[in-house]
Amino acid sequence: MLGAKAGYLLPTDCARRLLAELQGALDFCAERQRQLERSLRVSRRLLQVWEPARSPSPEAETKEEDPTPACTPSAEDLKELELLTQALEKAVRVRKGVSKAGQRDRTPSLTSNAATAAAHSQAPSQAGSLASGTRSTKDIQWTTVPAKDYPEGRLPPRGDRTRVRTQAQAPRSGPGLRNQQMTPSAVPRATEPFTLKEKGTLLQLPVAFRKAASQNSRLWAQLGSGHTNDSTDAASAAKTQFLHKLQMASGCPSHRPGAAEVRAHAQSLRKACMLLRLHMQKKLSTAMTEQPPGPCLVEKPTQALSLCGEVDSFWCPELLIYSSTKELQTLATLKLQVAMLDQQIHLEKVLMTELLPLINTQEPRGPPWLALCRAAYSLLCKGGEDFLTVLRDDPAD
Amino acid sequence: MGRRGPRVQGAARALPEAIAALSRSLPAGPSPEIFRRAKFDRPEAAPVLWQLLLRVLSPLAEINTCTDQAPEAQALVVKSALSSQGYPRSVLLQFPEGNSQGSRELLLAVSWLLARGPLLEQLLAQTRVQLGDQLPPCEWEALASPGPSAPLVETKSPVDLRLVEWLMGKLRIRWRRLISSQQEQCTLLSKIHLYTHGCHSEQNLGHLSVAETEMLRDPESGQQLLQALESENIRLEAALEWRRCQLVFWQWMDTVLDACSPESPAVTSQPIVLPMISEGGLAELELVKQELQALQEELREVAEPRRAAWEAQVAGLGRGPEWSNTRKALQEAVEQELEALRVSWEQSSNLAQPQRPHRLVRRKDGAARAPGLQAAKVIRTLSTQEACLRKALHQLQSQCQQELARLVGALPGLIWILAPGH
């Protein structure tokens, strides 16, 4: 019985090539995994409670901390509040002419007059999103960027970039509420943490961003439209002429393709092979169900097989619409499986190239050779997943 | 200068303005003055142009590290990349690494890259600000052959084949992990899209993406995103302007080329340090050739019996005009199909840029609002592709099984016991 003791040592250059290929494959996965982990971190963080970012403060709080209840403001907090209040007042001055404070849904979260604040500034339109009507609102306006960056005449009724301070004291938000006293001792902790699940629909993108984003997609569309006119035609002609002249003026007038070109060409041919193969399979599978061609059969030309669907402009933000988590998962998994199969096929070919000749040439046919055959069978025929047992039935016994 | 008329003055401004637009759209764009000096082969223009070429030719993954290298190493990267792309002028290759010679040659190289293809568009696409969520592009083909950049594996001691088996197992586990992580990411994305429904100003989109939500959570990153968008917009506008006014640049480059002495063939007969076509490239072509030949053989096997059956069927239909019309119609239909296939192939290979992944948008089923690619359609296509690949893999595996049986079966006294259940 051939146990696990017997091994087979690969010739050096063969080993080097095999290991290089496998390492390349492993690195490919590792790189994808790294990128995925990065994205996962960001997404997970978004779905947890949002920690208020203290942009003016030098210390970086960890974002994963859960807010601890702060029932009594400390002196430090009060000072901070004072600074923030000043900043906010300035912001408010800039935004004069905006809808009255009374219409906004913001109120200072912690005042002893929580009830009055709630009474006078809770906008009825916000009733749906602020479920608890009696407590003061949890959403607080906070401009982290100087208001001049977001020039707007009117604030949208929904909180503009609503933020929630859970630990620090909230700044007052409107001139109308300036006169309210702040009684440190009687400050209730009115703020609830912000979660995307509950309040995600309140978010709104800042105007400056929206402008830049729409300009961005407009410019990309223009760049990608590639529509030709007289000037572009003249330029193309001039470019072709330049290239030709340069080629002629160089030592080798005939074009010698570089490595990158060769690789690109090989890839393109592989793609052609795949397209033809897919088309053939499609034809074969439909032919099973079709009637034998009759005189009136004229088949419509099948749609060009292109994964990316609408092809009118490469640059426009093409959308991929999905309708459920399951669908998205299926799609993503299929993509990965296709890449995995591509890799497996490649590795299979590499292994065939390396191992089969070894089996042929290895002499004598002793235990190492058997180990080689056994491993080769497992790798080449079972993708390395199964192993077989080799029983040597010695005729001499 | 002052005596020129306004029209000529305008014309004289056109070139520097065109170059300025070009420079604004490039990632490390030199000033028009550098270009002018390069025409006269001035040494001070050389380092700037080396940097530009380095930035333009380095793959995106290496951009950050490439500037840390010594000038000699940088120059080597540039030369290697140019040669790999098939740059015909070898004078540049012979300049000693990284000194101040040859600014005119560098200028020619830059222009060659610009003229050949959509360089600006490619560079912009490389660093494009992603506002939406995408499924990460996952093309194994793109990294198919571990070319010259393959990790050099040092094998000091002889390698047991069991190491290969173990690495294959490790690879399998990595894929499994990748798939499950991806599924988790899909769940999270789906939730974020659901929770921010109705927040986006764009009706088409309907909800926020991770990047947009993150921007709202962390204003600092929001600022960065905004700045990135704004600088990209500047580059895009510059690229569009360049498109409009580039003709004057090409006319000028003509004069630059005239100023260069043509290379003598003797120069290039010297062995060039960098191979024009690497071994890997030829091997790859060989593999593709085999693949195509195998496919051709398959097609032949499949088509022959059908053709025979069809001929037999058709023979009975006679030669009437009705039949010849039908036949013509069938031929046309087939030609159209082949044409569609060819077009689809050309499209996918002419887009030298990698396909840009689509922005994921969650929409209730039945909301048949165009535009947009439906996930169900992509799933169908991918399923077909996956089935096709799986079949190809199984074919290879059974091929190996037969081969092994042949090689090993000759030996008497060996019993191969397969694992149970398979």
Side-chain angles (χ1 to χ4, degrees):
Chain A
M1 179 100 159
L2 200 65
K5 280 181 285 198
Y8 174 82
L9 296 175
L10 290 163
T12 327
D13 55 343
C14 171
R16 187 171 38 85
R17 285 191 298 268
L18 276 177
L19 291 183
E21 289 280 353
L22 283 167
Q23 196 55 51
L26 285 164
D27 290 343
F28 177 86
C29 287
E31 178 55 36
R32 297 280 154 311
Q33 186 72 36
R34 256 197 302 276
Q35 292 171 354
L36 206 45
E37 299 280 348
R38 264 203 300 270
S39 310
L40 277 169
R41 266 200 300 276
V42 175
S43 307
R44 283 186 198 125
R45 194 170 52 193
L46 284 177
L47 286 166
Q48 291 167 346
V49 174
W50 283 18
E51 269 294 301
R54 300 170 180 260
S55 52
S57 94
E59 351 140 1
E61 269 179 35
T62 58
K63 308 271 184 196
E64 312 301 312
E65 263 173 30
D66 271 349
T68 56
C71 296
T72 325
S74 65
E76 190 189 80
D77 285 349
L78 284 172
K79 193 157 70 148
E80 206 168 339
L81 172 69
E82 186 50 30
L83 288 168
L84 283 165
T85 313
Q86 286 171 5
L88 201 67
E89 282 171 25
K90 181 176 176 189
V92 162
R93 274 201 295 279
V94 172
R95 281 218 208 85
K96 232 175 182 137
V98 170
S99 54
K100 298 206 176 257
Q103 284 177 338
R104 299 190 204 165
D105 60 327
R106 290 170 247 100
T107 54
S109 67
L110 51 101
T111 57
S112 53
N113 327 325
T116 43
H120 70 57
S121 56
Q122 190 123 43
S125 61
Q126 288 300 318
S129 45
L130 298 175
S132 53
T134 50
R135 291 175 66 84
S136 59
T137 180
K138 327 297 178 278
D139 304 310
I140 291 157
Q141 173 64 25
W142 187 35
T143 43
T144 55
V145 175
K148 65 174 165 60
D149 282 354
Y150 298 84
E152 53 199 338
R154 232 185 106 62
L155 280 176
R158 278 190 260 167
D160 188 40
R161 286 169 65 243
T162 52
R163 305 277 321 186
V164 173
R165 311 289 304 283
T166 54
Q167 293 220 34
Q169 316 308 321
R172 295 173 185 153
S173 62
L177 304 165
R178 271 209 70 194
N179 302 321
Q180 285 172 359
Q181 291 284 50
M182 262 223 324
T183 344
S185 53
V187 165
R189 226 192 53 80
T191 55
E192 266 172 27
F194 180 94
T195 57
L196 206 58
K197 181 169 186 179
E198 293 160 19
K199 311 204 188 110
T201 50
L202 300 179
L203 296 173
Q204 194 158 30
L205 295 168
V207 172
F209 173 81
R210 276 185 265 155
K211 270 203 216 147
S214 75
Q215 193 183 22
N216 187 266
S217 67
R218 185 177 47 83
L219 287 169
W220 274 110
Q222 269 185 286
L223 197 66
S225 69
H227 81 279
T228 51
N229 50 25
D230 289 336
S231 71
T232 51
D233 285 341
S236 310
K239 281 194 267 195
T240 315
Q241 195 183 4
F242 171 76
L243 285 172
H244 181 75
K245 206 163 156 183
L246 192 146
Q247 185 80 44
M248 290 299 123
S250 70
C252 41
S254 64
H255 174 66
R256 284 173 64 187
E261 277 185 82
V262 170
R263 218 173 302 142
H265 194 62
Q267 208 172 316
S268 151
L269 287 172
R270 252 201 305 268
K271 214 166 265 188
C273 197
M274 162 65 75
L275 280 176
L276 286 168
R277 194 179 279 278
L278 277 172
H279 195 73
M280 177 176 83
Q281 285 205 345
K282 187 150 74 149
K283 283 290 158 192
L284 285 177
S285 60
T286 56
M288 305 298 186
T289 55
E290 263 174 24
Q291 305 283 338
C296 51
L297 178 77
V298 176
E299 206 182 77
K300 253 183 79 120
T302 55
Q303 280 229 291
L305 198 81
S306 72
L307 261 188
C308 281
E310 284 73 69
V311 102
D312 63 78
S313 179
F314 167 78
W315 308 92
C316 277
E318 307 102 329
L319 307 177
L320 180 49
I321 322 273
Y322 72 98
S323 56
S324 67
T325 312
K326 187 99 205 306
E327 200 180 34
L328 186 59
Q329 281 177 329
T330 310
L331 178 54
T333 307
L334 270 173
K335 269 192 89 167
L336 284 173
Q337 281 171 336
V338 165
M340 181 175 75
L341 281 165
D342 261 329
Q343 194 190 72
Q344 276 178 297
I345 290 176
H346 171 78
L347 286 174
E348 179 79 10
K349 291 183 186 157
V350 166
L351 284 168
M352 282 166 76
T353 317
E354 298 289 343
L355 293 182
L356 290 175
L358 289 178
I359 298 179
N360 260 323
T361 58
Q362 171 84 356
E363 297 278 3
R365 313 254 156 155
W369 183 80
L370 286 176
L372 168 63
C373 293
R374 184 167 171 268
Y377 183 88
S378 158
L379 287 168
L380 290 171
C381 309
K382 297 287 175 195
E385 293 188 34
D386 277 332
F387 291 88
L388 45 65
T389 321
V390 182
L391 259 186
R392 187 171 215 155
D393 192 16
D394 225 334
D397 285 350
Chain B
M1 284 281 271
R3 264 187 258 118
R4 292 193 192 172
R7 187 142 174 249
V8 179
Q9 265 179 347
R13 265 204 307 277
L15 180 63
E17 275 176 9
I19 296 181
L22 173 65
S23 171
R24 274 201 310 280
S25 67
L26 284 169
S31 66
E33 185 56 23
I34 293 285
F35 279 80
R36 192 184 74 84
R37 297 206 180 167
K39 173 175 177 177
F40 299 109
D41 214 12
R42 309 281 317 179
E44 59 267 20
V48 185
L49 289 174
W50 277 115
Q51 285 301 310
L52 173 62
L53 281 169
L54 183 68
R55 177 60 185 81
V56 160
L57 292 167
S58 300
L60 193 59
E62 293 159 34
I63 293 287
N64 291 329
T65 54
C66 70
T67 44
D68 297 334
Q69 293 173 318
E72 297 79 27
Q74 292 177 354
L76 201 56
V77 168
V78 170
K79 291 182 191 180
S80 161
L82 278 174
S83 161
S84 160
Q85 303 229 8
Y87 184 58
R89 283 182 82 85
S90 51
V91 175
L92 190 59
L93 300 178
Q94 276 139 20
F95 282 134
E97 265 72 69
N99 74 348
S100 352
Q101 270 185 13
S103 59
R104 186 158 57 206
E105 285 296 327
L106 291 168
L107 177 60
L108 284 178
V110 171
S111 308
W112 183 80
L113 288 169
L114 263 176
R116 261 170 106 232
L119 181 66
L120 292 179
E121 288 85 341
Q122 283 172 334
L123 291 172
L124 283 163
Q126 251 184 0
T127 53
R128 183 166 181 173
V129 173
Q130 303 292 4
L131 294 174
D133 297 315
Q134 290 105 10
L135 288 177
C138 197
E139 303 286 326
W140 165 250
E141 290 182 67
L143 310 167
S145 54
S149 57
L152 256 190
V153 180
E154 288 302 320
T155 49
K156 289 167 279 230
S157 49
V159 173
D160 192 317
L161 191 49
R162 280 174 291 185
L163 176 60
V164 173
E165 292 174 328
W166 181 73
L167 287 174
M168 287 283 278
K170 194 171 166 189
L171 186 60
R172 248 195 335 278
I173 292 178
R174 283 207 182 164
W175 274 109
R176 240 178 269 165
R177 192 172 161 217
L178 199 54
I179 290 177
S180 89
S181 300
Q182 179 66 73
Q183 290 186 329
E184 186 192 342
Q185 171 67 346
C186 289
T187 314
L188 298 181
L189 273 182
S190 183
K191 278 195 187 146
I192 292 173
H193 293 172
L194 199 58
Y195 297 163
T196 59
H197 187 73
C199 293
H200 210 291
S201 40
E202 286 260 346
Q203 285 287 52
N204 261 349
L205 300 175
H207 58 72
L208 302 179
S209 69
V210 165
E212 289 160 345
T213 316
E214 176 70 5
M215 181 180 76
L216 295 177
R217 185 193 72 85
D218 177 12
E220 218 172 281
S221 86
Q223 265 305 90
Q224 286 171 3
L225 191 60
L226 184 61
Q227 277 164 6
L229 263 182
E230 285 170 346
S231 24
E232 185 171 286
N233 288 348
I234 290 174
R235 280 181 66 189
L236 287 167
E237 275 167 349
L240 288 166
E241 194 187 325
W242 161 254
R243 258 199 205 170
R244 287 191 289 272
C245 59
Q246 59 179 314
L247 181 59
V248 62
F249 175 82
W250 296 113
Q251 289 164 343
W252 178 69
M253 277 313 295
D254 225 27
T255 67
V256 175
L257 201 46
D258 289 335
C260 287
S261 48
E263 293 188 338
S264 53
V267 168
T268 54
S269 66
Q270 286 172 23
I272 298 174
V273 176
L274 311 153
M276 291 287 265
I277 302 175
S278 71
E279 225 177 69
L282 286 173
E284 221 181 308
L285 279 180
E286 184 60 37
L287 278 177
V288 174
K289 183 175 111 175
Q290 286 171 8
E291 225 181 291
L292 284 168
Q293 281 173 337
L295 181 62
Q296 190 177 39
E297 192 50 46
E298 255 183 81
L299 272 169
R300 204 194 321 246
E301 279 175 30
V302 164
E304 294 270 308
R306 285 152 185 276
R307 178 182 287 280
W310 190 69
E311 297 276 353
Q313 217 173 26
V314 153
L317 286 175
R319 297 275 176 270
E322 200 184 272
W323 168 238
S324 71
N325 282 343
T326 313
R327 197 194 179 100
K328 213 178 346 174
L330 283 172
Q331 269 176 336
E332 267 175 32
V334 168
E335 270 169 28
Q336 277 179 1
E337 265 190 61
L338 288 175
E339 179 66 20
L341 265 181
R342 197 182 60 78
V343 162
S344 136
W345 174 56
E346 268 179 6
Q347 275 169 358
S348 61
S349 56
N350 272 349
L351 259 40
Q353 312 90 327
Q355 297 283 358
R356 184 171 171 247
H358 294 56
R359 176 169 178 153
L360 290 169
V361 168
R362 187 186 173 129
R363 235 182 247 166
K364 275 201 266 288
D365 224 352
R369 242 184 315 174
L373 182 60
Q374 298 290 330
K377 179 163 175 237
V378 185
I379 288 176
R380 271 197 300 276
T381 314
L382 284 173
S383 298
T384 317
Q385 206 176 355
E386 196 252 359
C388 183
L389 286 171
R390 210 173 275 284
K391 185 158 176 265
L393 181 62
H394 286 158
Q395 262 175 350
L396 283 174
Q397 285 176 335
S398 60
Q399 210 178 312
C400 289
Q401 199 160 7
Q402 285 170 8
E403 182 68 12
L404 277 174
R406 187 185 67 80
L407 286 171
V408 164
L411 275 187
L414 275 183
I415 305 170
W416 301 80
I417 304 170
L418 299 173
H422 289 270

